[in-house]
Amino acid sequence: MTKYGLRAQVIAYTVLPTVLIGGILAGYFSFHRFQQADEFLIDRALNIADALSIASEYGMQDETRTILRRLIGTTHRKNSPMIKSIAIFTADNELFVISNYHRDYQKLRLDNNQPIPDLPQISHAGDSIVIHSPIIDETNYLEYQLTFDQPRKVVGYVALEINKDQVELLLYRDAAISLLVVLMGILGSLYLAFKQAKRITAPISDMASVVEKISLGRLNSRVEGEYTGEIGLLQHGINEMALAMSKHHEEMQDSIDLATSELRETLEQMEVQNIELDITRKEAQQAASVKSEFLANMSHELRTPLNGVIGFARQLLKTKMTNNQVDYLQTIERSAGNLLNIINDILDFSKLEAGKLDLEYIPFDIRDSVDETMHLLGQSAHEKNIELSMIVAPDVPQELVGDAMRLQQVLTNLIGNAVKFTEKGNIEVKIERTEPENETEKCIKLKFTITDTGIGISKEQQDQLFKAFGQADSSITRQYGGTGLGLVITQKLVRQMKGSIDLSSTPNVGSTFWFTIEIEKCSRTPLNTLPLDRLASRSVLAYESNAYALRACSELLEEWKTNATIIDNEEQWQQSLNKCYDSIVIGHSNNMDLSPLLKAIKQAKKYTDNIIVLINCSDPSTFETVMNTGVTHCLGKPINHKNFANALVSNETVPARVQITTPLERKKINVMAVDDNRANLKLISAMLGDRVHHVTTCKNGQEAVDHAKTTPFDIIFMDIQMPVLDGISACAQIKKDSINKNTPIIAVTAHVLPGEKEQFLQKGMDDCLAKPIDELALQSIINKWAPAAEVIGTIQQTNIEDITPQIASIITKVKKSFDKELALQQSAGKEDLAKEMLGMLLEEFDALRKIVNEAMVDEVDKQQFTQAIHKFHGGCSYSGVPKLKDIAGLIEKELKRDISPDHLEPEFLELLDELDNVEKEAKSYLAES
């Protein structure tokens, strides 16, 4: 259907033909008239030019200019509307006479290289037409007739310039008249069209109005008037339709009245039911609110005594006790820890339900985090003689940015369930990258797969897995225990990490749980903590009968590019013992029978001096038994990749330290560093001092703003959380009104969330640098924002790589109260700086002791105390005090979870003890010259 109405169509079909025909005729006649006028003008000009040529013959022969001037002047005056100028030229193309003074008479003259035409010639010059007519000497006319082979004598030519203005004016007049006639025709057509349209559309509009009234329920409306033809038929049909609808409406109204009375009775009953349901709903909501409040309060109240039990158990473990007492205390600590985990699950579930659980975004080592989880769950697997193994794909980055604790919580829930519901067999954890085509420059997708050989889950039971306080089977709670919250929390955490979780399972065969997460890559270059260069090409014989453990071991050996021989049965073992190896790895799963292992160790001693035994056990007595056989290392399963790598190279004879010197460019730029923590400020200024010409340091944002007003800087490094004026506000003031408004400002912060970096950039920051500061990342920032700066010299930077083979016997590396090597590493290898930063940390001990003692008796503001612990924790990151850093970090984490300071007394006591330990160990180091 057309989008135009009948009225518009009638008008269009009436007017359009008139417009088209009138326009075509007017255009045709105007064009034809123009051509005729042009030809008439040229013909008339030719006649005048021919007459002047003939009349000018005698004047040219006698060279009487007066006669010719009168002749052409008279001609010009008589034809002045048409003629613009007349000139007579000699045969030599020289001006002989002209009818008026003409400044541009040169256009009347023929070109010098152009001969005088034998016949009149027409040429166009702009808006004028120029006609050249030859003047022929006809004195000997009869002679010319007799001898046609002789050319006629041309004595000159007449040049006549014609003006087209009058003709064009007449043409415009004719065109205007034509247009006026067409417009009159159009107006006449419009008048007739509107009149005809009104005659046709008026009755139709009346009928449409009646139909609209009928549709609105006014069924007594009728189309009035006398109409003939099709419109009359339409009028009759509408009136009949209205009559029929009126009858049906009366019948329907009777039915509605009857139904209404019945519905009214039903509604009254429903209203009573709704009131009852509303009362029930309010009671249920109130009960749910009371339940949530009860869970939160009860969980909080239970955490307080449990933290006390765990804390004081740890304090007791530091005193002298018998082996049985140590065992009892460890059991108490484990039991309390398990109960605390259940309470934490309830708290986490409450937070997730309320949407108040926020993820952290900090750099972490993915392998170390998973290794830690596997080690914690290994003991439970060993008690059931289950083989627990892990495979990490080589393309998974070492360092990532995310919430390592929550990722460990997800893995702990899934692996813990696998251990709980598996009586025998294997549990394998695999980590790999997925969907590489959808990865961005900053983020990747990881897939975690946990496969077990447990009891399995049926299709019907799988539907109950991710429901709160529910399990696949009610009997499971009685047989295996648990709250039924683990998988619910896991699912919600995975979704918060922008991922998904799913499973496949077959009863009595096993289950496979997998989940994906989106996680950010760490921008800094990871430190290489593995001796990869020394591992490459080492000959290794690995004997492991368990397929899962063998796969995990072989993946590591292949990733490290060792020359490995992998075997899985006794026959292959005997065949492989035909040459010496750098290391021999023997895996053993059955802890009840060690005789096959002892036999293999005895055979392996002849072919290597580095025997590494991997046992599926946590019992210290078993480790002692194996070590007494003379093996070099005895490691527990699942394999810890760092311990395993160091064990493989522990028999290699190399110097204790290797010094690698690399040149460091020093650029001629002026840099400002801003941080309220003295240790952080000292470290970054020391690092920058090796890389730039001049460093200005400030303790808060206001000092930075004041310096920026007077001193130009090439780069500004700005901490975010500072007293007096924070980094964001300081950045805004510098960018707004200072000589450094175009200077790049780099945000230096401990936690760079994926969205937080964009927020910093939106608020004026130009880039971000994560704490703890990595030297390579710092150098990359300088090169990025000052690429063209002048290099004023190079410094030989020494990186000390500790490759002492005896570092690990290697079961677990014990953290010291003060680690000299770690302090040097954290201070860029500068011993003077390490001592200075340690001294600054020790100066804070007295103030910290005071505020901790006040916190234990609840005499301190919680926010102030949290800021003090946060600042102290940051200082510990650069002073080589790993245990003190861990304790301070634990307290800070608990405070962020809204735990009151007076409930953290065990942690405070442990912190105070560690302060004393650090003081004792650090004094001897500081006393060294």
Side-chain angles (χ1 to χ4, degrees):
M1 294 179 64
T2 178
K3 62 181 179 179
Y4 301 108
L6 181 61
R7 179 186 179 87
Q9 292 183 49
V10 170
I11 293 172
Y13 293 147
T14 305
V15 174
L16 280 177
T18 304
V19 174
L20 291 175
I21 295 171
I24 292 171
L25 290 175
Y28 171 75
F29 287 119
S30 295
F31 178 73
H32 187 64
R33 175 66 174 161
F34 177 80
Q35 285 187 328
Q36 285 181 335
D38 205 24
E39 292 173 359
F40 171 76
L41 183 64
I42 292 173
D43 289 342
R44 186 174 176 187
L46 285 174
N47 293 334
I48 295 171
D50 287 342
L52 285 175
S53 297
I54 296 171
S56 301
E57 174 189 356
Y58 299 103
M60 290 295 292
Q61 290 176 353
D62 298 339
E63 297 184 356
T64 54
R65 283 186 168 83
T66 304
I67 297 173
L68 292 179
R69 183 175 290 112
R70 291 177 180 172
L71 175 63
I72 62 176
T74 302
T75 305
H76 190 169
R77 285 192 298 274
K78 289 182 178 181
N79 299 279
S80 57
M82 181 181 72
I83 296 175
K84 188 175 182 181
S85 181
I86 305 173
I88 297 176
F89 293 87
T90 65
D92 298 329
N93 207 21
E94 296 294 333
L95 180 65
F96 188 74
V97 68
I98 189 167
S99 63
N100 61 346
Y101 175 70
H102 199 289
R103 287 184 293 178
D104 193 20
Y105 70 87
Q106 292 293 342
K107 67 180 182 180
L108 299 175
R109 188 199 305 270
L110 290 170
D111 294 337
N112 292 330
N113 56 356
Q114 183 178 357
I116 299 173
D118 293 336
L119 298 173
Q121 176 180 289
I122 302 169
S123 59
H124 294 267
D127 294 336
S128 302
I129 300 174
V130 179
I131 297 176
H132 297 94
S133 180
I135 302 174
I136 301 172
D137 183 6
E138 296 183 352
T139 307
N140 300 321
Y141 175 73
L142 294 176
E143 185 179 342
Y144 292 152
Q145 295 293 323
L146 296 174
T147 57
F148 289 104
D149 56 337
Q150 293 183 3
R152 295 184 295 174
K153 182 180 179 182
V154 178
V155 297
Y157 62 92
V158 175
L160 180 65
E161 184 179 2
I162 302 171
N163 189 352
K164 298 168 60 177
D165 293 344
Q166 186 179 13
V167 174
E168 290 180 351
L169 185 61
L170 293 173
L171 291 174
Y172 290 147
R173 185 195 65 188
D174 294 344
I177 293 172
S178 300
L179 181 61
L180 182 61
V181 171
V182 172
L183 288 175
M184 290 178 66
I186 292 173
L187 291 174
S189 298
L190 281 172
Y191 173 75
L192 294 175
F194 275 103
K195 197 166 183 179
Q196 182 69 10
K198 184 177 180 181
R199 191 179 68 83
I200 295 174
T201 58
I204 294 178
S205 299
D206 292 341
M207 293 178 190
S209 176
V210 170
V211 170
E212 184 178 3
K213 291 176 182 178
I214 292 172
S215 67
L216 295 175
R218 295 163 61 181
L219 301 179
N220 58 344
S221 300
R222 298 292 184 270
V223 180
E224 305 294 340
E226 295 293 332
Y227 300 106
T228 59
E230 290 82 356
I231 295 178
L233 292 175
L234 184 59
Q235 177 192 20
H236 179 71
I238 293 173
N239 289 338
E240 288 295 322
M241 177 190 70
L243 181 62
M245 289 181 65
S246 180
K247 291 180 180 180
H248 286 300
H249 177 72
E250 292 174 358
E251 295 174 358
M252 184 178 65
Q253 188 62 44
D254 294 338
S255 301
I256 289 174
D257 292 339
L258 179 61
T260 302
S261 61
E262 295 175 353
L263 181 61
R264 188 176 293 110
E265 296 176 2
T266 305
L267 287 175
E268 289 174 356
Q269 296 175 1
M270 290 181 64
E271 186 175 358
V272 173
Q273 292 176 354
N274 285 337
I275 293 172
E276 294 174 352
L277 287 173
D278 188 57
I279 294 172
T280 306
R281 180 180 61 83
K282 289 180 179 179
E283 292 175 351
Q285 288 178 342
Q286 186 176 3
S289 176
V290 170
K291 182 193 73 173
S292 298
E293 186 176 351
F294 170 76
L295 286 175
N297 293 335
M298 184 58 66
S299 300
H300 182 74
E301 293 301 323
L302 287 173
R303 278 180 56 86
T304 303
L306 275 175
N307 279 326
V309 171
I310 294 171
F312 285 108
R314 291 173 181 169
Q315 293 296 315
L316 278 174
L317 284 171
K318 297 178 182 178
T319 63
K320 290 184 179 180
M321 291 179 293
T322 64
N323 291 336
N324 285 337
Q325 289 174 327
V326 171
D327 186 46
Y328 297 154
L329 276 174
Q330 288 176 342
T331 303
I332 291 171
E333 185 184 8
R334 283 197 303 272
S335 301
N338 291 335
L339 184 54
L340 191 61
N341 288 335
I342 295 173
I343 296 170
N344 286 337
D345 280 349
I346 298 174
L347 278 176
D348 288 341
F349 176 73
S350 301
K351 286 183 178 180
L352 286 166
E353 284 291 304
K356 295 180 179 179
L357 192 144
D358 297 323
L359 298 178
E360 291 183 339
Y361 290 87
I362 57 176
F364 70 97
D365 189 305
I366 181 69
R367 279 185 178 272
D368 286 348
S369 297
V370 181
D371 274 344
E372 183 179 341
T373 304
M374 299 287 280
H375 177 72
L376 291 174
L377 296 170
Q379 184 172 356
S380 301
H382 297 157
E383 291 173 356
K384 302 174 77 171
N385 202 28
I386 299 170
E387 190 77 39
L388 186 59
S389 59
M390 177 183 70
I391 297 175
V392 181
D395 60 346
V396 174
Q398 178 182 338
E399 286 202 2
L400 300 166
V401 177
D403 195 329
M405 185 184 75
R406 295 301 177 185
L407 178 60
Q408 287 178 324
Q409 183 178 356
V410 170
L411 289 171
T412 300
N413 283 337
L414 294 177
I415 301 172
N417 281 346
V419 173
K420 183 191 296 186
F421 299 113
T422 301
E423 295 301 325
K424 61 179 180 178
N426 303 273
I427 298 172
E428 183 179 61
V429 179
K430 183 181 288 187
I431 307 172
E432 58 191 338
R433 291 173 77 161
T434 182
E435 300 182 20
E437 66 279 359
N438 296 328
E439 290 181 2
T440 63
E441 190 175 331
K442 294 170 55 179
C443 295
I444 62 172
K445 267 202 168 184
L446 294 182
K447 181 180 181 181
F448 296 76
T449 307
I450 297 92
T451 304
D452 64 58
T453 57
I455 60 175
I457 309 168
S458 67
K459 290 288 185 182
E460 295 77 15
Q461 293 170 338
Q462 290 177 22
D463 297 334
Q464 304 295 323
L465 282 182
F466 295 104
K467 294 182 179 179
F469 305 103
Q471 292 186 326
D473 188 353
S474 58
S475 63
I476 288 176
T477 304
R478 297 192 297 272
Q479 183 177 355
Y480 296 100
T483 62
L485 288 175
L487 286 177
V488 180
I489 294 172
T490 296
Q491 184 186 51
K492 291 182 180 294
L493 286 174
V494 168
R495 287 177 178 173
Q496 270 200 270
M497 297 178 189
K498 299 179 182 178
S500 59
I501 185 170
D502 206 346
L503 78 150
S504 63
S505 181
T506 303
N508 302 319
V509 175
S511 304
T512 298
F513 283 79
W514 67 86
F515 67 93
T516 60
I517 61 171
E518 187 176 304
I519 195 163
E520 185 180 353
K521 292 184 283 189
C522 188
S523 58
R524 69 185 185 188
T525 304
L527 297 174
N528 189 7
T529 57
L530 298 178
L532 297 177
D533 294 339
R534 296 158 56 207
L535 282 168
S537 303
R538 283 182 67 81
S539 60
V540 179
L541 174 62
Y543 175 29
E544 174 63 75
S545 57
N546 185 281
Y548 290 85
L550 180 68
R551 184 159 55 242
C553 180
S554 62
E555 287 281 347
L556 287 174
L557 294 174
E558 183 180 348
E559 181 181 346
W560 295 335
K561 296 181 173 56
T562 62
N563 184 14
T565 302
I566 311 295
I567 56 176
D568 59 359
N569 57 63
E570 176 69 21
E571 182 180 353
Q572 291 178 346
W573 167 255
Q574 297 298 335
Q575 293 174 356
S576 300
L577 293 176
N578 55 7
K579 63 177 182 178
C580 292
Y581 298 91
D582 292 326
S583 300
I584 293 180
V585 181
I586 304 174
H588 187 70
S589 299
N590 187 5
N591 302 323
M592 306 302 295
D593 183 12
L594 295 180
S595 55
L597 173 62
L598 300 178
K599 178 183 176 182
I601 293 172
K602 184 177 181 180
Q603 294 173 343
K605 287 181 179 179
K606 301 176 184 179
Y607 300 96
T608 187
D609 60 351
N610 188 31
I611 300 175
I612 304 167
V613 175
L614 306 176
I615 58 174
N616 192 37
C617 179
S618 301
D619 185 6
S621 61
T622 305
F623 278 88
E624 186 177 355
T625 300
V626 175
M627 290 298 294
N628 288 338
T629 62
V631 300
T632 316
H633 305 287
C634 182
L635 306 179
K637 297 180 184 178
I639 301 171
N640 181 290
H641 70 291
K642 288 184 178 178
N643 294 344
F644 188 38
N646 289 323
L648 288 171
V649 298
S650 62
N651 64 328
E652 184 179 5
T653 304
V654 293
R657 294 176 182 272
V658 173
Q659 293 188 341
I660 307 169
T661 57
T662 55
L664 181 67
E665 291 184 346
R666 193 161 180 258
K667 296 192 173 185
K668 190 176 181 181
I669 56 176
N670 189 16
V671 174
M672 179 165 65
V674 191
D675 200 310
D676 65 315
N677 187 293
R678 287 197 304 158
N680 291 351
L681 191 60
K682 190 73 180 176
L683 177 64
I684 191 172
S685 60
M687 288 181 172
L688 288 170
D690 292 339
R691 292 165 170 79
V692 302
H693 176 63
H694 184 264
V695 182
T696 300
T697 58
C698 300
K699 293 182 292 184
N700 57 60
Q702 188 58 54
E703 287 186 17
V705 173
D706 295 339
H707 276 288
K709 290 179 179 178
T710 58
T711 307
F713 296 102
D714 297 288
I715 303 176
I716 298 174
F717 291 89
M718 183 78 68
D719 188 26
I720 300 300
Q721 296 180 352
M722 293 183 292
V724 184
L725 189 67
D726 63 87
I728 297 296
S729 302
C731 173
Q733 292 191 25
I734 292 172
K735 293 281 188 181
K736 181 180 179 182
D737 184 24
S738 77
I739 59 177
N740 290 282
K741 60 183 178 181
N742 296 322
T743 300
I745 301 179
I746 313 302
V748 183
T749 179
H751 299 166
V752 184
L753 300 101
E756 194 174 37
K757 182 173 181 180
E758 284 70 20
Q759 292 178 9
F760 290 156
L761 298 181
Q762 290 174 0
K763 293 177 180 178
M765 295 290 183
D766 296 284
D767 210 334
C768 286
L769 180 65
K771 292 181 185 178
I773 297 170
D774 178 69
E775 291 185 272
L776 293 176
L778 179 63
Q779 187 65 50
S780 175
I781 289 286
I782 294 173
N783 293 337
K784 176 181 178 181
W785 294 104
E790 178 186 351
V791 178
I792 57 177
T794 57
I795 299 174
Q796 291 299 323
Q797 182 188 24
T798 302
N799 300 327
I800 301 175
E801 182 185 357
D802 195 343
I803 53 174
T804 306
Q806 291 82 12
I807 283 180
S809 291
I810 302 167
I811 297 176
T812 306
K813 184 177 180 181
V814 179
K815 290 183 179 178
K816 305 175 185 176
S817 291
F818 173 69
D819 192 330
K820 178 180 176 181
E821 301 296 332
L822 180 61
L824 283 173
Q825 179 184 345
Q826 291 175 339
S827 57
K830 299 179 180 180
E831 189 165 8
D832 292 341
L833 179 61
K835 289 184 176 181
E836 187 173 354
M837 294 177 67
L838 180 60
M840 287 192 292
L841 182 67
L842 293 178
E843 291 174 4
E844 299 179 12
F845 279 15
D846 291 338
L848 185 68
R849 286 190 179 100
K850 180 181 177 182
I851 196 170
V852 167
N853 286 322
E854 291 175 353
M856 285 194 290
V857 293
D858 200 17
E859 294 181 357
V860 68
D861 178 66
K862 182 181 177 183
Q863 184 177 2
Q864 179 185 356
F865 182 66
T866 303
Q867 291 176 352
I869 291 294
H870 171 74
K871 185 176 180 180
F872 181 74
H873 182 214
C876 293
S877 301
Y878 302 103
S879 304
V881 286
K883 290 179 70 177
L884 188 59
K885 177 180 179 295
D886 290 347
I887 297 170
L890 175 63
I891 295 174
E892 182 183 5
K893 187 183 295 183
E894 294 296 318
L895 290 171
K896 288 181 177 179
R897 296 181 67 174
D898 294 330
I899 304 301
S900 178
D902 59 321
H903 293 155
L904 297 173
E905 184 176 353
E907 286 80 1
F908 292 157
L909 293 174
E910 193 172 355
L911 176 65
L912 294 174
D913 288 347
E914 189 59 26
L915 291 176
D916 296 336
N917 295 337
V918 170
E919 243 175 359
K920 292 175 185 176
E921 294 186 20
K923 283 181 180 178
S924 59
Y925 173 65
L926 293 174
E928 295 178 5
S929 57

